[in-house]
Protein backbone atom coordinates (compact mmCIF):
# COMPACT_ATOMS: atom_id res chain seq x y z
CA UNK A 1 0.00 0.00 0.00
CA UNK A 2 2.85 2.38 0.78
CA UNK A 3 4.30 1.85 -2.71
CA UNK A 4 0.89 2.54 -4.24
CA UNK A 5 0.53 5.74 -2.21
CA UNK A 6 3.95 6.99 -3.26
CA UNK A 7 3.36 6.11 -6.92
CA UNK A 8 -0.09 7.72 -6.93
CA UNK A 9 1.14 10.96 -5.37
CA UNK A 10 4.15 11.14 -7.67
CA UNK A 11 2.00 10.51 -10.75
CA UNK A 12 -0.46 13.28 -9.79
CA UNK A 13 2.34 15.78 -9.15
CA UNK A 14 4.18 14.95 -12.40
CA UNK A 15 0.99 14.98 -14.49
CA UNK A 16 -0.19 18.39 -13.27
CA UNK A 17 3.32 19.84 -13.64
CA UNK A 18 3.67 18.66 -17.23
CA UNK A 19 0.17 19.75 -18.26
CA UNK A 20 0.61 23.30 -16.96
CA UNK A 21 4.32 23.69 -17.74
CA UNK A 22 3.59 25.82 -20.79
CA UNK A 23 2.24 28.54 -18.50
CA UNK A 24 5.76 28.97 -17.17
CA UNK A 25 6.56 30.19 -20.68
CA UNK A 26 3.66 32.60 -20.41
CA UNK A 27 5.10 33.85 -17.12
CA UNK A 28 8.51 34.48 -18.66
CA UNK A 29 6.99 36.29 -21.64
CA UNK A 30 4.92 38.45 -19.29
CA UNK A 31 8.01 39.37 -17.28
CA UNK A 32 10.30 40.27 -20.17
CA UNK A 33 7.72 41.76 -22.51
CA UNK A 34 7.58 45.52 -22.28
CA UNK A 35 4.27 47.29 -22.42
CA UNK A 36 3.60 48.85 -25.77
CA UNK A 37 4.32 52.54 -26.20
CA UNK A 38 1.57 55.07 -26.68
CA UNK A 39 2.67 55.80 -30.24
CA UNK A 40 -0.29 56.87 -32.33
CA UNK A 41 -1.31 54.54 -35.12
CA UNK A 42 -3.68 55.62 -37.83
CA UNK A 43 -6.76 53.42 -38.10
CA UNK A 44 -10.07 53.61 -39.88
CA UNK A 45 -12.90 54.58 -37.54
CA UNK A 46 -15.47 51.84 -37.16
CA UNK A 47 -19.06 52.03 -35.98
CA UNK A 48 -19.80 50.26 -32.70
CA UNK A 49 -22.58 49.47 -30.28
CA UNK A 50 -21.82 49.27 -26.56
CA UNK A 51 -24.10 46.76 -24.85
CA UNK A 52 -24.79 46.67 -21.12
CA UNK A 53 -26.84 43.83 -19.66
CA UNK A 54 -28.17 45.11 -16.33
CA UNK A 55 -30.37 43.67 -13.62
CA UNK A 56 -31.27 46.11 -10.84
CA UNK A 57 -28.22 48.30 -11.40
CA UNK A 58 -29.71 51.76 -10.85
CA UNK A 59 -26.90 52.59 -8.40
CA UNK A 60 -24.05 52.39 -10.90
CA UNK A 61 -25.24 52.29 -14.49
CA UNK A 62 -25.34 56.02 -15.13
CA UNK A 63 -21.61 56.28 -14.37
CA UNK A 64 -20.75 53.69 -17.00
CA UNK A 65 -22.99 55.31 -19.62
CA UNK A 66 -21.47 58.70 -18.90
CA UNK A 67 -17.95 57.31 -19.30
CA UNK A 68 -19.00 55.84 -22.66
CA UNK A 69 -20.53 59.12 -23.75
CA UNK A 70 -17.27 60.90 -22.92
CA UNK A 71 -15.02 58.62 -24.97
CA UNK A 72 -12.28 60.17 -27.12
CA UNK A 73 -14.08 58.75 -30.12
CA UNK A 74 -16.70 60.24 -32.47
CA UNK A 75 -20.01 60.14 -30.61
CA UNK A 76 -21.96 59.32 -33.77
CA UNK A 77 -19.95 56.10 -34.15
CA UNK A 78 -20.78 54.70 -30.72
CA UNK A 79 -24.34 53.84 -29.70
CA UNK A 80 -25.06 52.71 -26.15
CA UNK A 81 -27.67 50.02 -25.51
CA UNK A 82 -28.93 48.78 -22.15
CA UNK A 83 -30.88 45.58 -21.64
CA UNK A 84 -32.88 46.09 -18.45
CA UNK A 85 -33.10 42.39 -17.75
CA UNK A 86 -35.82 41.31 -15.29
CA UNK A 87 -35.38 44.57 -13.40
CA UNK A 88 -37.54 45.44 -10.43
CA UNK A 89 -35.90 48.81 -9.79
CA UNK A 90 -35.42 52.01 -11.80
CA UNK A 91 -32.50 50.78 -13.95
CA UNK A 92 -34.31 51.35 -17.27
CA UNK A 93 -35.26 54.94 -16.52
CA UNK A 94 -31.85 55.84 -15.08
CA UNK A 95 -30.17 54.39 -18.18
CA UNK A 96 -32.53 56.24 -20.54
CA UNK A 97 -31.96 59.52 -18.68
CA UNK A 98 -28.21 58.98 -19.05
CA UNK A 99 -28.58 58.72 -22.82
CA UNK A 100 -28.75 54.98 -23.52
CA UNK A 101 -31.14 53.19 -25.83
CA UNK A 102 -33.04 50.88 -23.48
CA UNK A 103 -34.71 47.54 -24.10
CA UNK A 104 -36.70 45.93 -21.30
CA UNK A 105 -36.64 42.15 -21.08
CA UNK A 106 -38.72 39.95 -18.79
CA UNK A 107 -38.00 36.24 -18.90
CA UNK A 108 -37.73 34.26 -15.67
CA UNK A 109 -37.01 30.97 -17.42
CA UNK A 110 -34.07 31.92 -19.63
CA UNK A 111 -32.04 33.76 -17.02
CA UNK A 112 -28.55 35.13 -17.41
CA UNK A 113 -26.36 37.48 -19.38
CA UNK A 114 -26.02 35.16 -22.37
CA UNK A 115 -29.78 35.10 -22.93
CA UNK A 116 -30.01 38.87 -22.49
CA UNK A 117 -27.31 39.49 -25.11
CA UNK A 118 -28.97 37.08 -27.52
CA UNK A 119 -32.30 38.86 -27.00
CA UNK A 120 -30.82 42.23 -27.94
CA UNK A 121 -29.00 40.92 -31.00
CA UNK A 122 -32.24 39.41 -32.28
CA UNK A 123 -34.11 42.65 -31.59
CA UNK A 124 -31.54 44.65 -33.52
CA UNK A 125 -31.76 42.19 -36.42
CA UNK A 126 -35.55 42.43 -36.54
CA UNK A 127 -35.34 46.22 -36.50
CA UNK A 128 -32.66 46.35 -39.19
CA UNK A 129 -30.06 47.79 -36.82
CA UNK A 130 -27.58 44.91 -36.85
CA UNK A 131 -25.08 46.57 -39.19
CA UNK A 132 -22.47 47.58 -36.60
CA UNK A 133 -18.83 46.74 -37.26
CA UNK A 134 -18.47 45.54 -33.70
CA UNK A 135 -20.18 45.19 -30.35
CA UNK A 136 -18.66 46.07 -26.98
CA UNK A 137 -19.98 44.23 -23.94
CA UNK A 138 -19.80 45.76 -20.46
CA UNK A 139 -21.12 45.12 -16.97
CA UNK A 140 -23.14 47.91 -15.40
CA UNK A 141 -20.62 48.55 -12.63
CA UNK A 142 -17.73 49.25 -15.02
CA UNK A 143 -15.95 52.53 -15.54
CA UNK A 144 -14.37 52.89 -18.98
CA UNK A 145 -11.14 54.78 -19.58
CA UNK A 146 -11.70 57.72 -21.98
CA UNK A 147 -9.38 56.18 -24.60
CA UNK A 148 -10.86 52.68 -24.36
CA UNK A 149 -12.82 52.66 -27.62
CA UNK A 150 -10.06 54.43 -29.53
CA UNK A 151 -7.43 51.91 -28.42
CA UNK A 152 -9.66 48.91 -29.11
CA UNK A 153 -10.49 50.32 -32.53
CA UNK A 154 -6.79 50.58 -33.40
CA UNK A 155 -6.26 46.85 -32.80
CA UNK A 156 -9.62 45.84 -34.28
CA UNK A 157 -8.85 47.73 -37.50
CA UNK A 158 -5.95 45.39 -38.23
CA UNK A 159 -8.57 42.83 -39.27
CA UNK A 160 -6.73 39.99 -37.52
CA UNK A 161 -9.17 39.35 -34.70
CA UNK A 162 -12.75 38.15 -34.41
CA UNK A 163 -12.91 39.58 -30.89
CA UNK A 164 -10.77 41.56 -28.47
CA UNK A 165 -10.37 41.61 -24.72
CA UNK A 166 -8.93 44.44 -22.64
CA UNK A 167 -6.91 45.32 -19.53
CA UNK A 168 -9.24 44.75 -16.58
CA UNK A 169 -8.45 46.69 -13.44
CA UNK A 170 -10.55 47.19 -10.29
CA UNK A 171 -12.47 50.18 -8.98
CA UNK A 172 -12.32 48.88 -5.41
CA UNK A 173 -9.05 46.94 -5.29
CA UNK A 174 -8.17 48.07 -1.79
CA UNK A 175 -11.51 47.57 -0.03
CA UNK A 176 -10.54 44.24 1.54
CA UNK A 177 -8.76 40.93 0.90
CA UNK A 178 -11.65 39.65 -1.24
CA UNK A 179 -11.75 42.53 -3.73
CA UNK A 180 -7.93 42.50 -3.78
CA UNK A 181 -7.95 38.78 -4.58
CA UNK A 182 -10.14 39.40 -7.61
CA UNK A 183 -8.07 42.42 -8.62
CA UNK A 184 -4.76 40.55 -8.59
CA UNK A 185 -6.27 37.63 -10.47
CA UNK A 186 -7.56 39.83 -13.30
CA UNK A 187 -4.28 41.75 -13.54
CA UNK A 188 -2.45 38.42 -13.69
CA UNK A 189 -4.84 37.26 -16.39
CA UNK A 190 -4.07 40.33 -18.49
CA UNK A 191 -0.30 40.37 -18.04
CA UNK A 192 0.56 36.67 -17.81
CA UNK A 193 -2.16 34.98 -19.86
CA UNK A 194 -3.66 37.20 -22.53
CA UNK A 195 -0.55 39.27 -23.31
CA UNK A 196 1.60 36.13 -23.84
CA UNK A 197 -1.17 34.50 -25.88
CA UNK A 198 -1.18 37.57 -28.10
CA UNK A 199 2.61 37.39 -28.36
CA UNK A 200 2.67 33.75 -29.52
CA UNK A 201 -0.33 34.02 -31.84
CA UNK A 202 -2.74 31.99 -29.71
CA UNK A 203 -6.33 32.98 -29.09
CA UNK A 204 -6.99 34.90 -25.88
CA UNK A 205 -9.97 34.45 -23.57
CA UNK A 206 -12.58 37.05 -22.80
CA UNK A 207 -13.45 37.48 -19.16
CA UNK A 208 -17.00 38.64 -18.59
CA UNK A 209 -16.71 42.30 -19.43
CA UNK A 210 -14.77 44.88 -21.42
CA UNK A 211 -14.59 42.90 -24.65
CA UNK A 212 -15.38 43.54 -28.30
CA UNK A 213 -16.89 41.09 -30.78
CA UNK A 214 -16.92 41.75 -34.52
CA UNK A 215 -20.31 42.34 -36.08
CA UNK A 216 -19.50 39.75 -38.74
CA UNK A 217 -19.05 37.05 -36.09
CA UNK A 218 -22.29 37.99 -34.33
CA UNK A 219 -24.16 37.77 -37.64
CA UNK A 220 -22.41 34.51 -38.51
CA UNK A 221 -23.47 33.02 -35.17
CA UNK A 222 -27.02 34.31 -35.52
CA UNK A 223 -26.71 36.28 -32.29
CA UNK A 224 -25.18 35.05 -29.04
CA UNK A 225 -25.83 31.28 -28.75
CA UNK A 226 -23.79 30.90 -25.57
CA UNK A 227 -25.96 30.22 -22.55
CA UNK A 228 -23.92 28.19 -20.08
CA UNK A 229 -23.22 29.71 -16.67
CA UNK A 230 -19.88 31.03 -17.95
CA UNK A 231 -20.97 32.21 -21.37
CA UNK A 232 -17.79 34.28 -21.79
CA UNK A 233 -15.53 31.22 -21.54
CA UNK A 234 -17.95 29.25 -23.70
CA UNK A 235 -17.53 31.91 -26.39
CA UNK A 236 -13.73 31.78 -26.01
CA UNK A 237 -13.72 27.99 -26.35
CA UNK A 238 -15.96 28.17 -29.40
CA UNK A 239 -13.58 30.66 -31.03
CA UNK A 240 -10.62 28.34 -30.42
CA UNK A 241 -12.51 25.40 -31.92
CA UNK A 242 -13.52 27.42 -34.99
CA UNK A 243 -10.05 28.85 -35.51
CA UNK A 244 -11.26 32.37 -34.70
CA UNK A 245 -8.63 34.43 -32.90
CA UNK A 246 -9.40 36.62 -29.89
CA UNK A 247 -6.86 39.42 -29.49
CA UNK A 248 -5.85 41.55 -26.54
CA UNK A 249 -5.48 45.33 -26.25
CA UNK A 250 -3.43 46.23 -23.19
CA UNK A 251 -3.94 49.98 -23.62
CA UNK A 252 -7.73 49.67 -23.41
CA UNK A 253 -8.50 49.85 -19.69
CA UNK A 254 -11.71 49.24 -17.78
CA UNK A 255 -12.30 49.40 -14.05
CA UNK A 256 -14.59 46.75 -12.60
CA UNK A 257 -16.26 46.61 -9.18
CA UNK A 258 -15.49 43.41 -7.31
CA UNK A 259 -17.53 41.67 -4.60
CA UNK A 260 -16.50 42.61 -1.07
CA UNK A 261 -18.38 40.02 1.02
CA UNK A 262 -17.49 36.35 1.12
CA UNK A 263 -21.13 35.37 0.51
CA UNK A 264 -21.25 37.35 -2.75
CA UNK A 265 -17.86 36.01 -3.75
CA UNK A 266 -18.89 32.44 -2.94
CA UNK A 267 -22.06 32.71 -5.04
CA UNK A 268 -20.23 34.24 -7.98
CA UNK A 269 -17.32 31.80 -8.00
CA UNK A 270 -19.67 28.87 -7.43
CA UNK A 271 -21.40 29.86 -10.67
CA UNK A 272 -18.04 30.17 -12.43
CA UNK A 273 -16.91 26.75 -11.17
CA UNK A 274 -20.17 25.12 -12.22
CA UNK A 275 -19.91 26.83 -15.58
CA UNK A 276 -16.43 25.39 -16.09
CA UNK A 277 -17.77 21.90 -15.36
CA UNK A 278 -20.53 22.52 -17.92
CA UNK A 279 -17.94 23.53 -20.50
CA UNK A 280 -15.85 20.45 -19.69
CA UNK A 281 -18.92 18.32 -20.35
CA UNK A 282 -20.05 20.05 -23.54
CA UNK A 283 -16.70 20.95 -25.12
CA UNK A 284 -13.98 18.84 -23.50
CA UNK A 285 -13.90 16.16 -26.18
CA UNK A 286 -14.04 18.69 -29.00
CA UNK A 287 -11.11 20.60 -27.51
CA UNK A 288 -9.09 17.38 -27.22
CA UNK A 289 -9.75 16.65 -30.89
CA UNK A 290 -8.93 20.27 -31.78
CA UNK A 291 -5.49 19.95 -30.22
CA UNK A 292 -4.48 17.55 -33.00
CA UNK A 293 -5.24 20.09 -35.74
CA UNK A 294 -1.81 21.51 -34.94
CA UNK A 295 -0.50 25.03 -35.43
CA UNK A 296 -1.89 28.06 -33.63
CA UNK A 297 -5.37 26.59 -33.67
CA UNK A 298 -4.24 23.36 -32.05
CA UNK A 299 -2.30 25.23 -29.37
CA UNK A 300 -5.28 27.51 -28.70
CA UNK A 301 -7.43 24.41 -28.19
CA UNK A 302 -4.86 22.99 -25.76
CA UNK A 303 -4.64 26.30 -23.91
CA UNK A 304 -8.43 26.53 -23.62
CA UNK A 305 -8.63 22.87 -22.56
CA UNK A 306 -6.20 23.53 -19.72
CA UNK A 307 -8.03 26.74 -18.84
CA UNK A 308 -11.32 24.91 -18.32
CA UNK A 309 -9.81 21.65 -17.03
CA UNK A 310 -10.79 21.00 -13.40
CA UNK A 311 -7.24 21.32 -12.07
CA UNK A 312 -8.49 22.51 -8.70
CA UNK A 313 -10.80 19.50 -8.48
CA UNK A 314 -7.95 17.11 -9.34
CA UNK A 315 -5.89 18.66 -6.56
CA UNK A 316 -8.82 18.32 -4.16
CA UNK A 317 -9.38 14.70 -5.22
CA UNK A 318 -5.74 13.86 -4.59
CA UNK A 319 -5.91 15.44 -1.12
CA UNK A 320 -9.13 13.56 -0.31
CA UNK A 321 -7.70 10.22 -1.44
CA UNK A 322 -4.68 10.77 0.76
CA UNK A 323 -6.97 11.78 3.63
CA UNK A 324 -8.98 8.57 3.22
CA UNK A 325 -5.83 6.44 3.22
CA UNK A 326 -4.57 8.40 6.21
CA UNK A 327 -7.78 7.70 8.13
CA UNK A 328 -7.69 4.01 7.21
CA UNK A 329 -4.17 3.61 8.58
CA UNK A 330 -4.33 5.99 11.51
CA UNK A 331 -4.93 3.36 14.19
CA UNK A 332 -3.02 0.48 12.61
CA UNK A 333 0.21 -0.39 14.48
CA UNK A 334 2.09 -1.93 11.56
CA UNK A 335 5.23 -0.36 10.19
CA UNK A 336 3.72 -0.19 6.70
CA UNK A 337 0.75 1.74 8.07
CA UNK A 338 3.11 4.25 9.64
CA UNK A 339 4.86 4.71 6.29
CA UNK A 340 1.52 5.35 4.57
CA UNK A 341 0.55 7.87 7.27
CA UNK A 342 3.86 9.67 6.84
CA UNK A 343 3.52 9.72 3.05
CA UNK A 344 -0.07 10.99 3.14
CA UNK A 345 0.67 13.70 5.67
CA UNK A 346 3.71 14.73 3.69
CA UNK A 347 1.77 14.88 0.42
CA UNK A 348 -1.04 16.99 1.91
CA UNK A 349 1.45 19.35 3.58
CA UNK A 350 3.55 19.67 0.42
CA UNK A 351 0.49 20.27 -1.75
CA UNK A 352 -0.82 23.06 0.48
CA UNK A 353 2.64 24.63 0.79
CA UNK A 354 3.38 24.50 -2.94
CA UNK A 355 -0.08 25.86 -3.69
CA UNK A 356 0.43 28.77 -1.30
CA UNK A 357 3.99 29.57 -2.38
CA UNK A 358 3.16 29.29 -6.07
CA UNK A 359 0.27 31.72 -5.79
CA UNK A 360 2.34 33.98 -3.55
CA UNK A 361 4.97 34.08 -6.29
CA UNK A 362 2.37 34.88 -8.95
CA UNK A 363 0.88 37.57 -6.74
CA UNK A 364 4.30 39.09 -6.05
CA UNK A 365 5.31 39.13 -9.72
CA UNK A 366 1.95 40.58 -10.75
CA UNK A 367 2.16 43.27 -8.08
CA UNK A 368 5.69 44.16 -9.17
CA UNK A 369 4.92 44.38 -12.89
CA UNK A 370 1.58 46.17 -12.40
CA UNK A 371 2.68 48.29 -9.44
CA UNK A 372 1.54 51.61 -10.92
CA UNK A 373 -1.84 50.18 -11.88
CA UNK A 374 -2.66 49.10 -8.31
CA UNK A 375 -3.90 52.30 -6.72
CA UNK A 376 -3.63 51.47 -3.02
CA UNK A 377 -1.02 52.13 -0.35
CA UNK A 378 2.28 50.27 -0.38
CA UNK A 379 1.39 48.59 2.90
CA UNK A 380 -1.83 47.18 1.49
CA UNK A 381 -0.03 45.99 -1.63
CA UNK A 382 2.24 43.83 0.52
CA UNK A 383 -0.57 42.72 2.82
CA UNK A 384 -2.74 41.48 -0.04
CA UNK A 385 0.17 39.48 -1.46
CA UNK A 386 -0.19 37.12 1.50
CA UNK A 387 -3.99 36.97 1.43
CA UNK A 388 -4.12 36.31 -2.32
CA UNK A 389 -3.22 32.57 -1.97
CA UNK A 390 -5.84 32.26 0.78
CA UNK A 391 -8.45 33.82 -1.51
CA UNK A 392 -7.51 31.37 -4.25
CA UNK A 393 -7.46 28.41 -1.85
CA UNK A 394 -11.16 29.03 -1.12
CA UNK A 395 -11.73 27.77 -4.65
CA UNK A 396 -11.11 24.25 -3.32
CA UNK A 397 -14.37 23.93 -1.35
CA UNK A 398 -16.18 25.97 -4.00
CA UNK A 399 -15.07 23.50 -6.69
CA UNK A 400 -16.22 20.59 -4.55
CA UNK A 401 -19.67 22.09 -3.90
CA UNK A 402 -20.10 23.07 -7.56
CA UNK A 403 -19.60 19.47 -8.57
CA UNK A 404 -22.71 18.27 -6.73
CA UNK A 405 -24.93 21.32 -6.27
CA UNK A 406 -27.42 22.74 -8.74
CA UNK A 407 -26.31 26.29 -9.45
CA UNK A 408 -28.36 29.07 -10.99
CA UNK A 409 -27.41 32.56 -12.07
CA UNK A 410 -27.74 35.14 -9.27
CA UNK A 411 -27.24 38.90 -9.57
CA UNK A 412 -24.40 40.51 -7.63
CA UNK A 413 -25.32 43.75 -5.88
CA UNK A 414 -23.18 46.70 -6.93
CA UNK A 415 -22.95 50.03 -5.21
CA UNK A 416 -20.60 52.94 -4.68
CA UNK A 417 -18.59 51.52 -1.81
CA UNK A 418 -16.07 53.30 0.36
CA UNK A 419 -12.56 53.04 -0.94
CA UNK A 420 -13.59 53.09 -4.59
CA UNK A 421 -10.74 54.33 -6.76
CA UNK A 422 -11.39 57.12 -9.25
CA UNK A 423 -8.65 57.38 -11.91
CA UNK A 424 -6.86 60.71 -11.59
CA UNK A 425 -8.25 63.28 -13.98
CA UNK A 426 -10.99 60.91 -15.13
CA UNK A 427 -13.60 61.20 -12.38
CA UNK A 428 -16.26 62.76 -14.61
CA UNK A 429 -17.36 59.35 -15.83
CA UNK A 430 -17.75 57.60 -12.49
CA UNK A 431 -20.98 57.82 -10.59
CA UNK A 432 -20.44 57.98 -6.84
Amino acid sequence: MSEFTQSFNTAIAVLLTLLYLYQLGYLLIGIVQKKRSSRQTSAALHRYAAIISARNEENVISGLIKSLKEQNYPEELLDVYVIADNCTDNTAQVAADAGAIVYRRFNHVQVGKGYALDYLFHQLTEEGKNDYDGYFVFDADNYVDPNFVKEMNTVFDTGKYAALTSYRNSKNFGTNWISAGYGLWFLREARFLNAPRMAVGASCAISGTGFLVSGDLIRENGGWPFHLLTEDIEFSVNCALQGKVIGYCEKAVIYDEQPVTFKQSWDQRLRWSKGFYQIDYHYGLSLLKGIFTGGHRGFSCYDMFMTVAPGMFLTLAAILINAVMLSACMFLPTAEAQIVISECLGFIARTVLVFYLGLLMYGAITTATEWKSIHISTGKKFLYLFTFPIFMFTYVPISAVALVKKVEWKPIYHGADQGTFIPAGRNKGLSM
Side-chain angles (χ1 to χ4, degrees), residues 127-344:
E127 296 171 14
K129 300 178 182 177
N130 67 332
D131 57 345
Y132 292 97
D133 296 322
Y135 297 88
F136 291 101
V137 178
F138 298 103
D139 287 342
D141 58 282
N142 296 158
Y143 165 74
V144 184
D145 182 270
N147 292 318
F148 183 92
V149 173
K150 183 180 73 172
E151 298 294 355
M152 292 285 270
N153 179 73
T154 298
V155 180
F156 180 75
D157 187 60
T158 63
K160 299 177 181 178
Y161 307 106
L164 289 173
T165 189
S166 61
Y167 186 94
R168 186 175 179 180
N169 207 332
S170 296
K171 287 163 58 176
N172 60 334
F173 196 109
T175 300
N176 59 22
W177 69 281
I178 296 171
S179 62
Y182 280 98
L184 266 179
W185 178 260
F186 288 129
L187 292 180
R188 172 195 174 270
E189 185 177 70
R191 177 78 180 209
F192 297 109
L193 290 179
N194 282 328
R197 286 166 176 157
M198 186 84 161
V200 301
S203 186
C204 300
I206 64 170
S207 183
T209 187
F211 61 90
L212 168 65
V213 183
S214 77
D216 287 340
L217 184 55
I218 293 296
R219 289 183 283 273
E220 180 182 322
N221 288 336
W224 189 263
F226 308 106
H227 305 308
L228 299 182
L229 288 171
T230 46
E231 81 289 330
D232 51 349
I233 300 299
E234 184 182 7
F235 170 79
S236 301
V237 167
N238 184 263
C239 283
L241 289 171
Q242 300 300 321
K244 310 283 187 183
V245 180
I246 301 173
Y248 165 65
C249 181
E250 67 181 4
K251 292 193 289 183
V253 183
I254 64 162
Y255 296 86
D256 191 27
E257 183 179 315
Q258 309 303 337
V260 295
T261 70
F262 191 76
K263 176 63 168 61
Q264 286 183 330
S265 178
W266 177 281
D267 289 343
Q268 185 183 64
R269 290 186 289 151
L270 185 66
R271 174 174 62 83
W272 291 352
S273 296
K274 191 70 172 185
F276 272 51
Y277 289 142
Q278 290 176 340
I279 290 172
D280 291 331
Y281 177 79
H282 289 282
Y283 294 95
L285 184 58
S286 296
L287 284 172
L288 280 173
K289 292 179 180 178
I291 293 171
F292 296 100
T293 60
H296 291 302
R297 180 178 176 182
F299 180 73
S300 293
C301 286
Y302 178 77
D303 189 22
M304 285 298 104
F305 180 79
M306 296 312 304
T307 298
V308 302
M312 190 70 71
F313 175 73
L314 293 176
T315 301
L316 175 62
I319 291 175
L320 288 177
I321 290 171
N322 275 268
V324 169
M325 290 189 290
L326 178 65
S327 300
C329 296
M330 185 64 70
F331 301 106
L332 296 178
T334 64
E336 184 176 0
Q338 296 305 309
I339 294 174
V340 172
I341 291 172
S342 177
E343 175 63 28
C344 291

Side-chain angles (χ1 to χ4, degrees), residues 364-420:
I365 294 173
T366 302
T367 299
T369 58
E370 311 307 294
W371 186 269
K372 294 182 179 179
S373 297
I374 303 173
H375 303 277
I376 58 177
S377 67
T378 299
K380 281 191 172 182
K381 288 180 183 179
F382 283 106
L383 171 64
Y384 292 141
L385 283 182
F386 295 96
T387 59
F388 175 63
I390 298 173
F391 171 80
M392 293 303 299
F393 200 77
T394 59
Y395 261 113
V396 174
I398 289 172
S399 298
V401 173
L403 189 67
V404 297
K405 183 178 180 180
K406 181 179 179 181
V407 180
E408 297 179 347
W409 186 88
K410 294 181 181 179
I412 299 294
Y413 173 79
H414 295 114
D417 64 292
Q418 306 227 349
T420 296

Side-chain angles (χ1 to χ4, degrees), residues 39-52:
R39 182 181 61 184
Q40 297 297 317
T41 304
S42 96
L45 299 179
H46 294 271
R47 183 166 171 260
Y48 299 108
I51 300 174
I52 309 160

